[in-house]
Amino acid sequence: MVFKYAKMICLLLLLTLPVQAQTVQITASVDQTTLAVNQQLVLSVELTGEDANRITSVPPPDGGDYLRFYGSRGTSQNIQFINGKTSISITHTFVYMAVKAGSYTISPVTIKYKDKTYQSNSIPISIVKTGTSSPGSRSENREDDSEDLFLRMLTSKQRVYPNEPVIVTFRIYAKVSVTGINPVQMPETTGFWAEEFDLGTRLQTQNEVYKGVRYAVADIKKYALFPTSPGKKTIGPLTLDCQVRVRNRRQSKDVFDSFFNDSFFSRTVTRKISSKPVAIEVLPFPATNKPSEFSGLAGRFDLNATLDKNNVKTNEGITLRVRISGQGNISIIPKPDLFIPADFEQYEPTVTQNINRSGNGISGHKTFEYVLIPRFPGQQRIRPFAFSYFDTGKKDYVTLRSPEFTINVEKGDEEYNSGIGSGFSKEEIELIGQDIRFIKLHSPRFSPLESRFYQSFYFVALLVFPALLFLLALAYQRHMEKLNKNRAYARRRGANRLARKRLSQTKACLGESTQKEFYSEMSRALLGFAADKLNISSAGIISTELEKSLKARGLDAELVDMYIALVQKCDLYRFATTSSSREEMEQAFKKAKEAIIKLEKAL
Amino acid sequence: MTSLMILMFLFMPQADLGQAGFSFENGNQLYQNGKYEQAISQYRSVIDLGYESASLYYNLGNAYFKLNDIGHAILYYEKAKKLAPRDADILHNLKIARVYVVDKIQVPNPGFIIKQWNRLITFFNTHQLSVMMVAFYIFFLLTLILYLVIRKSHIKSLIKFLVYPSAFAFAVFLLLFLLRLDYDRNHQRGIVLEEKVTVMSAPSEDAKEVFSIHRGLELIITDQSGDYYRIRLADGKEGWLPGSDVGRI
């Protein structure tokens, strides 16, 4: 039993201990903070410092009603020489038995040495009744279910501004022997710009007391995470596969069993452990006093701008170096908003950056090197430019300004004409030196200054007058058309009435004595009707002309022939001496009536 | 009232016109004797009388060129070109003068179609376009009127042949004229007259410098505020500069 615990303490002491010089420091730790009644509790009191070995007696802290002091397990020593300094640590181990359930705080160990009083930390423990020691209650204060091996994510800050780094350390805590660590899943860092710290190839192991329990700890990964935008963000867990050496622990108190519980008889198992995700609140930058040059950088920076020379000759290069150094996200430092006068030929700057990824933050510098070639002599000015960042310490914006540079440019030795710029095209080179064409000698026609024809009175008049003329012409044309249309319409409408009237007159003349009048009236009725219908002049119309006009209207040839025949017959009896009988006249009258009706229908 | 104005326009400036011609001849004489500065003052007196002509501006440009004042030379060549867009002498001297402009601005190639379009718009100047537009307008209306009035059918059909082409020609020139007016409004051009002009970010003396330009560079004046012009270069750079450093074309 004694052997077993002493061995465990030795194992712990194999790990490197922090160096404490000059004074004595006391640290108390227990092997478990939650235990059941009748379980043992091992309390270690570690003394470190130069004088640690001079303190020989350490009183065991009081266990109160809850813990019964079982006895001392002795002391172990660890002496280290680092850089000529000696560091000694002595651990006193005490064993207690839990006797009563409840919460108890182990009081600090107090030691008097050389008139000084040294005090250790106090340790809260909780003792549960036997059988109620469920895993849930056991892991209450733990990052992981397992008490003897877990992974914690340590964050430097939980409320940051964009681009203010959160230092995230993934630290493994072990009370067991870990022989191998293998990352399975890298932490999810969406919404962050991640810079990983260089922790070296070998893990640095340390001792750390966490919640009163001593662990061997090692930093697995360390990042500086720069949030890219405000809002709530989560840093995801890191998952590791750990090779753990376990002893075949038997609940036996036999000394021989303990002997065989040596590492030689242990086996290795793989355990998967993960850290818990951590929420980070990224605050937006304050809106007040925000400079216009602000580009979103946070941290602390210095600006240094230098010019290698102030007096140059034309076409000689000068170098303007802008160096921004400090702590913060160096990688995202933007190109300075530098205004180079157009009289300089300039090239894209060469950018170099150096980031230091060790220590407690990301620091470094970024350098922009501009090569400028003045093309014109004279005094040139490079105006100061501003670089602005958010100081996370002062919680305010800081604007840095570069100095103003004045450069005296002298005319260079080489052949150079200030009137002519560089970079001629082929066509232009041919034109250099060519003379201009001679002036125009003949006296020109002068026009009043800025006289614009299209803004003059003439312009408007020339647009309006023809338009008026056109409207006049249009009105005239409309009038004529209407008149034309109306006359024809009137005649056509009157034709029937007139024909009827003439036919009735013809009928009155029916008789042998009035033969001539009869035919004359009938002829007038026939010709007049057709002429009115066609809107042609009836005076002096002859039958052949009428026939042509009627046929031109596309009338039935038979009808036209009959109509013309009637007219011709009338003419024949009108002027000839041949007389016709009364029946003949009556028949002709009837025919004429029919012909008029037919023509009326046809037209 | 309007007839009175016409009368004034026709008769009043006759005496001045004679004076203008005299000054022009004087200027030419001085130019030929190499007295460019005096020639310039003679030419300018013509402008002061209220007259202009392509030849006058061309001769002024030549005189300034001889004095190595590229800014004014280009300004007056451009003014001359505005009045006579296809005069070979003007175009040639303008090309030579432009060689001596310090700023070589890389103008992005606008592409074939836009280039041809700009050529079409600027082939005639605004005055020429307005005259042609009016001429075709009158011709078109005249043919229409004749078509309406004349009753003899064979003449009418002959006129009908003229109506459509004249209507088309009128429509084309009307469109070109309107487009040109719009183009002129958006392209108020200027020439840098000072040796070196610093373009500012705002129309005030203590504004931030943006870039600097040199004598003879052509730019487009987009706005005006007090004594300052807002300008745009052919490559799209913008800023403000004192109006006195720039001559409007």
Side-chain angles (χ1 to χ4, degrees):
Chain A
M1 192 66 191
V2 178
F3 182 51
K4 187 177 171 183
Y5 277 102
K7 213 171 70 179
M8 199 179 121
I9 291 155
C10 288
L11 200 122
L12 278 167
L13 288 170
L14 281 173
L15 306 163
T16 322
L17 289 169
V19 180
Q20 284 293 334
Q22 305 303 329
T23 53
V24 179
Q25 211 174 19
I26 310 173
T27 320
S29 62
V30 290
D31 65 337
Q32 51 194 354
T33 51
T34 307
L35 67 163
V37 176
N38 291 328
Q39 264 193 331
Q40 274 187 3
L41 176 80
V42 179
L43 177 78
S44 306
V45 179
E46 187 187 341
L47 306 167
T48 48
E50 271 184 348
D51 295 338
N53 57 342
R54 303 234 171 94
I55 300 161
T56 44
S57 71
V58 173
D62 186 26
D65 293 338
Y66 297 91
L67 297 169
R68 191 193 304 148
F69 181 60
Y70 231 55
S72 176
R73 289 278 174 236
T75 58
S76 65
Q77 253 190 61
N78 184 26
I79 303 172
Q80 277 188 331
F81 299 98
I82 296 169
N83 297 333
K85 277 186 179 172
T86 318
S87 87
I88 302 161
S89 80
I90 295 170
T91 311
H92 297 258
T93 315
F94 307 102
V95 180
Y96 292 84
M97 171 73 90
V99 289
K100 195 180 162 190
S103 288
Y104 179 63
T105 305
I106 301 169
S107 54
V109 179
T110 316
I111 292 166
K112 273 190 179 170
Y113 174 68
K114 281 185 182 172
D115 303 329
K116 271 189 181 172
T117 308
Y118 300 97
Q119 208 172 35
S120 77
N121 51 313
S122 56
I123 305 164
I125 56 162
S126 71
I127 302 162
V128 292
K129 277 178 189 152
T130 324
T132 59
S133 163
S134 64
S137 64
R138 280 169 69 94
S139 66
E140 201 170 51
N141 296 319
R142 291 279 185 260
E143 294 268 327
D144 199 70
D145 283 357
S146 165
E147 219 175 284
D148 52 7
L149 181 70
F150 55 91
L151 188 64
R152 281 180 74 204
M153 185 198 292
L154 307 171
T155 51
S156 61
K157 281 169 182 176
Q158 312 229 308
R159 277 158 70 89
V160 289
Y161 289 99
N163 279 318
E164 181 185 356
V166 182
I167 310 293
V168 176
T169 314
F170 291 96
R171 188 171 287 176
I172 190 165
Y173 286 73
K175 278 205 307 190
V176 292
S177 173
V178 177
T179 54
I181 290 167
N182 197 20
V184 179
Q185 191 201 332
M186 285 310 188
E188 172 86 25
T189 54
T190 316
F192 293 93
W193 172 290
E195 293 276 2
E196 193 175 347
F197 281 86
D198 187 11
L199 295 176
T201 45
R202 281 177 64 92
L203 291 180
Q204 297 287 311
T205 328
Q206 278 182 304
N207 271 349
E208 191 184 307
V209 176
Y210 174 62
K211 287 184 178 165
V213 182
R214 178 177 295 276
Y215 291 95
V217 299
D219 291 347
I220 304 297
K221 290 219 173 281
K222 191 170 175 185
Y223 297 94
L225 297 179
F226 298 92
T228 51
S229 57
K232 284 224 189 297
K233 293 178 199 273
T234 310
I235 306 169
L238 172 74
T239 307
L240 301 173
D241 270 347
C242 298
Q243 266 77 50
V244 181
R245 201 174 284 165
V246 283
R247 287 176 296 257
N248 300 319
R249 194 188 286 258
R250 281 177 214 146
Q251 293 300 319
S252 164
K253 285 170 185 173
D254 197 314
V255 178
F256 291 103
D257 273 346
S258 334
F259 177 76
F260 288 109
N261 271 339
D262 203 296
S263 61
F264 185 74
F265 297 98
S266 64
R267 58 192 166 90
T268 302
V269 291
T270 302
R271 276 169 67 181
K272 186 170 274 184
I273 53 168
S274 306
S275 63
K276 294 213 167 118
V278 172
I280 301 288
E281 191 187 352
V282 186
L283 307 164
F285 285 121
T288 49
N289 301 328
K290 194 186 258 187
S292 57
E293 302 91 356
F294 185 63
S295 62
L297 275 168
R300 236 171 39 74
F301 296 96
D302 279 320
L303 173 72
N304 184 20
T306 51
L307 197 66
D308 64 344
K309 47 192 165 186
N310 290 84
N311 293 297
V312 277
K313 289 178 174 166
T314 51
N315 300 331
E316 275 181 13
I318 47 172
T319 310
L320 176 66
R321 194 173 282 114
V322 178
R323 184 186 148 115
I324 296 167
S325 55
Q327 295 183 329
N329 199 351
I330 301 289
S331 306
I332 64 154
I333 292 175
K335 208 164 82 176
D337 181 23
L338 204 61
F339 171 67
I340 308 287
D343 288 349
F344 285 102
E345 199 166 309
Q346 60 162 311
Y347 301 94
E348 272 296 293
T350 42
V351 184
T352 46
Q353 65 177 33
N354 187 356
I355 299 174
N356 182 13
R357 290 184 183 84
S358 56
N360 279 323
I362 295 288
S363 61
H365 60 84
K366 199 168 190 174
T367 309
F368 301 88
E369 248 181 55
Y370 290 84
V371 173
L372 308 173
I373 298 167
R375 292 295 184 206
F376 300 95
Q379 200 175 60
Q380 300 288 353
R381 232 152 38 101
I382 296 173
R383 285 205 167 196
F385 80 91
F387 168 75
S388 181
Y389 67 91
F390 185 76
D391 192 319
T392 46
K394 284 193 267 179
K395 301 250 181 293
D396 200 4
Y397 296 98
V398 176
T399 303
L400 303 172
R401 271 173 216 287
S402 69
E404 180 173 302
F405 295 110
T406 315
I407 304 155
N408 285 310
V409 184
E410 278 171 47
K411 208 167 163 179
D413 298 329
E414 58 193 286
E415 185 64 35
Y416 180 72
N417 187 343
S418 69
I420 304 176
S422 58
F424 290 108
S425 70
K426 211 172 168 185
E427 192 190 7
E428 283 175 326
I429 287 164
E430 279 170 26
L431 287 170
I432 292 173
Q434 261 197 51
D435 199 15
I436 49 167
R437 289 192 191 167
F438 196 60
I439 51 167
K440 292 179 193 279
L441 291 172
H442 61 273
S443 200
R445 264 186 46 227
F446 291 108
S447 54
L449 212 57
E450 293 287 307
S451 76
R452 293 196 179 102
F453 168 67
Y454 54 92
Q455 285 175 350
S456 68
F457 166 77
Y458 296 106
F459 182 71
V460 182
L462 282 171
L463 288 182
V464 173
F465 186 67
L468 287 176
L469 263 182
F470 167 72
L471 286 177
L472 219 67
L474 199 70
Y476 170 76
Q477 194 261 352
R478 279 282 145 84
H479 174 75
M480 292 302 285
E481 201 174 62
K482 212 168 170 187
L483 221 63
N484 250 341
K485 222 175 175 175
N486 282 359
R487 194 192 289 160
Y489 179 69
R491 274 183 79 178
R492 223 180 301 129
R493 281 205 64 182
N496 285 357
R497 198 164 35 84
L498 218 67
R500 221 177 294 132
K501 198 176 154 193
R502 282 190 183 135
L503 280 177
S504 68
Q505 271 171 7
T506 315
K507 206 174 181 182
C509 297
L510 196 72
E512 261 146 69
S513 54
T514 53
Q515 184 194 330
K516 269 185 187 160
E517 282 83 17
F518 173 78
Y519 281 110
S520 158
E521 278 300 319
M522 200 158 86
S523 165
R524 270 174 67 191
L526 284 168
L527 279 174
F529 180 73
D532 281 352
K533 278 287 179 195
L534 294 176
N535 191 26
I536 51 176
S537 171
S538 64
I541 193 169
I542 50 167
S543 55
T544 47
E545 221 173 281
L546 183 68
E547 186 182 359
K548 217 194 267 170
S549 311
L550 283 172
K551 277 189 175 154
R553 277 297 199 73
L555 289 174
D556 184 23
E558 207 179 318
L559 176 69
V560 176
D561 285 345
M562 189 197 78
Y563 202 86
I564 298 302
L566 263 171
V567 174
Q568 278 167 349
K569 195 179 177 185
C570 286
D571 286 348
L572 188 73
Y573 285 109
R574 237 168 98 193
F575 302 113
T577 46
T578 39
S579 61
S580 63
S581 63
R582 194 185 167 88
E583 286 113 277
E584 240 176 343
M585 281 158 79
E586 261 175 43
Q587 200 137 23
F589 180 75
K590 222 166 136 187
K591 258 188 175 168
K593 221 172 163 178
E594 274 171 31
I596 281 170
I597 290 163
K598 271 184 184 162
L599 191 68
E600 159 91 80
K601 273 181 188 160
L603 276 173
Chain B
M1 184 65 193
T2 41
S3 56
L4 193 74
M5 271 171 65
I6 300 164
L7 281 174
M8 275 168 69
F9 180 75
L10 285 174
F11 295 110
M12 211 196 84
Q14 285 305 318
D16 282 353
L17 255 177
Q19 179 61 43
F22 181 69
S23 294
F24 182 76
E25 303 281 347
N26 257 351
N28 287 355
Q29 200 58 50
L30 286 162
Y31 180 94
Q32 286 174 67
N33 295 335
K35 291 169 179 162
Y36 302 118
E37 271 157 45
Q38 288 162 39
I40 286 169
S41 72
Q42 283 296 319
Y43 290 140
R44 293 199 81 128
S45 73
V46 178
I47 299 170
D48 292 340
L49 283 169
Y51 291 105
E52 65 178 2
S53 90
S55 303
L56 176 72
Y57 286 141
Y58 170 76
N59 291 4
L60 246 175
N62 273 8
Y64 275 115
F65 186 89
K66 290 288 180 191
L67 290 174
N68 270 330
D69 187 342
I70 296 305
H72 279 96
I74 291 178
L75 174 67
Y76 284 108
Y77 286 146
E78 286 283 2
K79 276 179 183 271
K81 191 186 158 195
K82 204 172 165 188
L83 296 177
R86 290 177 304 288
D87 186 293
D89 293 340
I90 295 169
L91 293 178
H92 179 261
N93 285 5
L94 184 57
K95 207 156 106 187
I96 287 177
R98 275 182 182 156
V99 172
Y100 299 94
V101 177
V102 172
D103 303 298
K104 303 288 174 204
I105 288 181
Q106 291 292 315
V107 185
N109 196 354
F112 181 75
I113 291 172
I114 291 171
K115 223 161 149 182
Q116 295 306 310
W117 176 252
N118 282 339
R119 252 183 72 181
L120 177 74
I121 297 278
T122 52
F123 190 74
F124 296 109
N125 68 20
T126 321
H127 174 79
Q128 289 165 335
L129 280 173
S130 68
V131 168
M132 276 183 279
M133 192 270 285
V134 165
F136 279 108
Y137 169 74
I138 291 171
F139 185 69
F140 163 60
L141 281 187
L142 224 63
T143 52
L144 257 185
I145 288 164
L146 286 176
Y147 178 76
L148 290 176
V149 172
I150 287 170
R151 304 188 63 77
K152 292 211 166 102
S153 57
H154 58 281
I155 302 175
K156 219 177 166 105
S157 58
L158 202 77
I159 286 167
K160 206 168 156 185
F161 264 116
L162 286 172
V163 173
Y164 293 111
S166 61
F168 178 73
F170 164 61
V172 166
F173 279 98
L174 177 67
L175 193 72
L176 279 177
F177 174 64
L178 292 175
L179 286 169
R180 181 61 198 250
L181 281 184
D182 186 59
Y183 180 87
D184 284 349
R185 205 172 37 243
N186 295 326
H187 288 78
Q188 288 208 6
R189 297 183 303 151
I191 299 291
V192 180
L193 299 178
E194 291 296 307
E195 176 77 47
K196 182 187 166 189
V197 177
T198 306
V199 181
M200 310 290 210
S201 60
S204 77
E205 244 175 80
D206 42 63
K208 203 178 158 187
E209 290 173 30
V210 186
F211 52 90
S212 58
I213 48 178
H214 301 84
R215 179 172 284 177
L217 185 69
E218 185 183 317
L219 40 80
I220 289 166
I221 300 160
T222 52
D223 203 356
Q224 191 171 359
S225 167
D227 295 333
Y228 283 83
Y229 286 158
R230 186 187 176 155
I231 58 108
R232 189 176 71 228
L233 301 186
D235 59 358
K237 277 190 196 161
E238 288 193 54
W240 293 83
L241 49 74
S244 56
D245 295 348
V246 166
R248 275 174 184 262
I249 295 170

